[in-house]
Amino acid sequence: MAIKHLRTLFASQLQPGQPAQVRPGEALSEPGGDYEALHKQMKRLFNSKPGKKYGRFSEDIGESPFSAWLKDYLEDRQSFTSLTDRIFGQWQELLNGSQEEHEGHLMLVHEALADGEIMYLLVLESDSALRFDGQQSLDTTDVLSLSRLNLAVRIELEDWQNDNPGENYLTLVHARGSGEPGELFIRLCGFTNQVDVEKETLTFMDAVEAFAKSSEPEEAGKIRARAYEFSKEQHALGEPVAIEALSGYLDEDQPQRFKEFASETAELPESGVLHPDHRKVKKLVRIAGSGGGMSVSFSSDLVNQAVYYDRDNDALTITRLPKALREQLQRYLESRDD
């Protein structure tokens, strides 16, 4: 079984200024079945979530004792039940002081995989659903949302605990609009942001673009497309982009070529890992823009082949129009002539 231990807490703070109401569940060992299915879906949401943040534990143990409690658990100085009792107790204390309403399930999962052990702390939300009760009267009920995940953290336990801890062993999902409960969740985790995703995205895109321009013209488009594909695949897995792995993906015959080029032309982190925003990386293969009642999008490979830009006149000429677009234009013009 992938799940070693799992426990949940229902927390409700609907009257700011009053103590939060909590209901902890039992600590479960290797629960399997539906719990595995639920966790698998939450991981899928976690991995696909855009805008994740990367960092490490805060060194302020007094403010954020989560890491110290977790270390005690991993070193067998306390049980999983004791660990979750402490975490759930602090979550209740934090919610007690919240001026915003909150309701949801806090779930801690210790997962063991072939390539390492991981801890997840997630806030599960609920959706309203209709049902027929025992008297066949229509009623509403709450069910776990399998499509939303706005607060969660993943801890790469081995990266954190080895002799030379990685720089970014925490991955945080902190969606916009999560408000004060979202900030309280960050305090609960003790998360400190260490990665400038925007800067690393630019570093990634600049390195790939420079490498593409330095290659043969017929290879440039393929390099951009493969770099985007690799970035997208890593995003789907919830993993960053390792430069060495990307280098081998871009050129199987000379797997070190891109790595050596990027090392000389770009400021790469010592870890050799980048965390690009895959949504922005798409600009490597798509050129798009909108405004003034117009929206244009096309593959970057078409520049100077089917799409020509006149800089002096700020004009765009498109040849080889898509069939559907051509037919729409013809119908529109014909109707205007009538």
Side-chain angles (χ1 to χ4, degrees):
M1 296 295 181
I3 297 177
K4 293 181 66 174
H5 299 288
L6 178 150
R7 195 180 183 191
T8 62
L9 170 84
F10 177 75
S12 175
Q13 170 57 291
L14 301 180
Q15 293 181 314
Q18 298 296 318
Q21 302 299 308
V22 297
R23 295 198 304 273
E26 295 294 325
L28 304 175
S29 297
E30 298 184 357
D34 291 339
Y35 290 95
E36 290 279 359
L38 173 63
H39 183 50
K40 183 177 181 180
Q41 175 60 18
M42 291 301 108
K43 286 200 300 180
R44 187 177 294 114
L45 294 177
F46 186 98
N47 291 342
S48 64
K49 199 74 176 179
K52 289 190 286 288
K53 300 177 182 178
Y54 304 88
R56 58 195 301 129
F57 284 127
S58 168
E59 296 180 359
D60 188 348
I61 302 299
E63 176 70 16
S64 301
F66 179 88
S67 61
W69 296 339
L70 182 57
K71 185 177 181 181
D72 285 345
Y73 160 67
L74 295 172
E75 295 178 354
D76 294 325
R77 290 199 290 266
Q78 69 172 332
S79 66
F80 185 77
T81 299
S82 298
L83 167 67
T84 48
D85 282 343
R86 287 179 164 182
I87 295 172
F88 292 170
Q90 190 189 21
W91 185 231
Q92 183 179 20
E93 288 182 13
L94 291 170
L95 290 177
N96 285 344
S98 176
Q99 297 304 305
E100 293 184 16
E101 295 184 354
H102 171 77
E103 190 172 60
H105 297 266
L106 187 68
M107 184 169 76
L108 185 70
V109 182
H110 183 182
E111 180 183 59
L113 301 173
D115 56 353
E117 297 194 3
I118 300 173
M119 191 77 74
Y120 285 88
L121 185 65
L122 314 101
V123 174
L124 276 58
E125 302 178 30
S126 297
D127 290 326
S128 293
L130 293 173
R131 70 181 184 110
F132 287 108
D133 62 19
Q135 285 71 46
Q136 293 301 296
S137 297
L138 198 59
D139 191 13
T140 59
T141 187
D142 289 336
V143 297
L144 289 175
S145 175
L146 300 180
S147 61
R148 296 200 314 277
L149 182 66
N150 291 314
L151 293 172
V153 68
R154 181 179 66 196
I155 307 148
E156 307 285 349
L157 296 177
E158 294 182 5
D159 286 352
W160 171 45
Q161 286 200 302
N162 63 29
D163 294 335
N164 297 303
E167 294 182 0
N168 304 295
Y169 46 77
L170 299 184
T171 305
L172 176 74
V173 167
H174 178 230
R176 292 181 181 179
S178 54
E180 187 179 2
E183 297 303 317
L184 296 177
F185 181 79
I186 292 177
R187 286 178 57 187
L188 175 67
C189 302
F191 176 88
T192 298
N193 194 10
Q194 297 289 318
V195 173
D196 187 337
V197 174
E198 183 174 353
K199 180 180 178 181
E200 294 201 359
T201 301
L202 290 174
T203 298
F204 175 85
M205 294 180 65
D206 288 347
V208 171
E209 186 62 34
F211 183 66
K213 288 181 178 179
S214 71
S215 303
E216 295 296 328
E218 61 271 15
E219 294 295 321
K222 295 179 182 178
I223 288 171
R224 296 186 186 97
R226 288 182 68 81
Y228 171 64
E229 288 171 4
F230 188 85
S231 171
K232 187 169 66 171
E233 288 174 1
Q234 292 302 103
H235 170 75
L237 294 171
E239 299 291 340
V241 172
I243 297 300
E244 186 161 2
L246 172 61
S247 186
Y249 189 80
L250 292 180
D251 191 337
E252 296 179 356
D253 295 329
Q254 301 181 61
Q256 294 297 311
R257 191 162 71 95
F258 173 74
K259 179 183 177 182
E260 293 171 356
F261 178 90
S263 298
E264 295 174 358
T265 60
E267 294 184 10
L268 299 177
E270 293 182 5
S271 63
V273 171
L274 292 172
H275 304 77
D277 185 334
H278 82 291
R279 297 169 299 178
K280 295 181 179 179
V281 172
K282 191 174 183 179
K283 292 179 181 178
L284 286 172
V285 295
R286 300 292 300 179
I287 296 176
S290 61
M294 188 184 332
S295 179
V296 180
S297 173
F298 51 87
S299 170
S300 58
D301 290 342
L302 296 179
V303 175
N304 293 331
Q305 293 187 35
V307 179
Y308 301 88
Y309 178 53
D310 183 342
R311 298 190 185 192
D312 295 335
N313 297 311
D314 193 25
L316 195 69
T317 301
I318 302 175
T319 63
R320 303 203 320 247
L321 287 180
K323 181 180 178 181
L325 176 58
R326 183 172 62 251
E327 291 175 348
Q328 288 183 62
L329 287 171
Q330 290 173 347
R331 285 196 300 269
Y332 176 77
L333 294 173
E334 289 170 359
S335 66
R336 291 287 298 270
D337 293 338
D338 295 341

